[in-house]
Amino acid sequence: MKLLLLEDDDLLAESLAESLKDNGYLVDLAASVRAAKSLMATEKYELAIIDIGLPDGSGLELLTHWRQQKQDNSILILTARDTWEDKVVGLEKGADDYLTKPFHEAELMARLKALRRRRSGQLSARLSLGGVVLDEASQCVNVDGKPEQPLTATEFRLLRYLMHHPNRVHSKEHLLDQLYALEQDAAASNLIEVYIARLRRYVGKPLIQTRRGQGYVFIAD
């Protein structure tokens, strides 16, 4: 799941990005309002974590700008501003959640999972579709009650994305975009074929179908 992290504290940003990656997120970093605005205009993010006090402007003004532009991704404000008035303003500007610094990493991850569940209509931390159960905490998959199969980080991100967006055709290019961050070297498009083949061994070929010339679709029904 692709996430934009807007944080101007380099050490915090790098540390948090590593933790987010360990939890299966694909993270692009921005240290300024300008950089975040540019990334949001060209990339598709399902989640964003934004600070408020930034060197070239206000995260609140950026949030207002995005909402006026009908950006509908989930946004969590992560800031040192901790009064109830600050929280009210942030939420009324369009944030979906508000967490103050210092924070516990486990609480942040739990809040992000809650935002994802709310967005997808999923009520449990275990995503279940078509007999496939994906445990987002353990990053294991279980099919029709068989023993759990641990997934690699890339396998987990790909299967989670497909299961969160079932019955839709996803091109190879779009799936690659969901798997690799901007700073990483561009991966070959046939890499998606390799990972799709691996996932089919776990969940069964009928559930992940190929649409020739179009891409792949996870069949939920």
Side-chain angles (χ1 to χ4, degrees), residues 4-219:
L4 175 62
L5 173 59
L6 173 54
E7 172 60 64
D8 65 324
D9 182 321
D10 292 342
L11 288 178
L12 175 59
E14 291 175 8
S15 171
L16 187 50
E18 286 302 314
S19 297
L20 289 164
K21 290 173 184 174
D22 290 342
N23 282 272
Y25 293 96
L26 183 66
V27 181
D28 285 337
L29 281 171
S32 66
V33 169
R34 180 179 180 182
K37 191 179 289 187
S38 175
L39 285 170
M40 190 67 85
T42 56
E43 303 295 320
K44 179 63 177 176
Y45 299 102
E46 296 194 38
L47 287 168
I49 300 173
I50 66 171
D51 196 359
I52 290 179
L54 296 156
D56 62 343
S58 164
L60 288 177
E61 292 178 3
L62 180 62
L63 174 57
T64 301
H65 170 73
W66 283 341
R67 292 314 191 206
Q68 288 174 342
Q69 289 198 323
K70 309 300 183 187
Q71 293 281 1
D72 65 349
N73 38 15
S74 299
I75 295 177
L76 181 146
I77 291 176
L78 184 62
T79 178
R81 299 181 189 178
D82 60 358
T83 69
W84 68 266
E85 292 94 339
D86 290 325
K87 296 174 184 176
V88 168
V89 170
L91 294 169
E92 290 193 340
K93 291 286 186 182
D96 298 283
D97 201 355
Y98 194 110
L99 183 62
T100 56
K101 302 173 184 174
F103 61 95
H104 288 284
E105 181 183 307
E107 181 181 0
L108 173 62
M109 298 305 164
R111 286 173 180 263
L112 293 178
K113 288 177 183 175
L115 288 176
R116 285 206 322 270
R117 289 198 301 272
R118 194 180 311 156
R119 182 179 181 84
S120 66
Q122 177 191 351
L123 300 180
S124 166
R126 293 167 65 88
L127 180 59
S128 180
L129 281 176
V132 178
V133 179
L134 181 65
D135 190 317
E136 299 195 47
S138 66
Q139 301 189 5
C140 290
V141 65
N142 173 287
V143 182
D144 294 330
K146 297 177 183 175
E148 284 193 334
Q149 169 67 48
L151 302 174
T152 67
T154 303
E155 291 168 352
F156 170 70
R157 287 201 300 269
L158 180 57
L159 182 57
R160 182 175 62 180
Y161 186 81
L162 290 170
M163 292 180 70
H164 272 288
H165 303 83
N167 301 323
R168 300 184 198 174
V169 179
H170 305 285
S171 68
K172 290 181 184 178
E173 292 75 17
H174 180 73
L175 293 176
L176 273 176
D177 189 50
Q178 296 300 318
L179 294 182
Y180 295 95
L182 291 175
E183 74 271 16
Q184 293 177 293
D185 293 335
S189 62
N190 62 4
L191 196 60
I192 289 296
E193 297 174 14
V194 173
Y195 283 106
I196 288 290
R198 289 187 188 178
L199 292 180
R200 281 172 170 160
R201 288 203 296 269
Y202 305 143
V203 307
K205 190 173 181 179
L207 282 179
I208 303 178
Q209 297 183 1
T210 301
R211 299 292 169 82
R212 190 174 299 278
Q214 296 176 288
Y216 302 96
V217 55
F218 187 96
I219 304 299

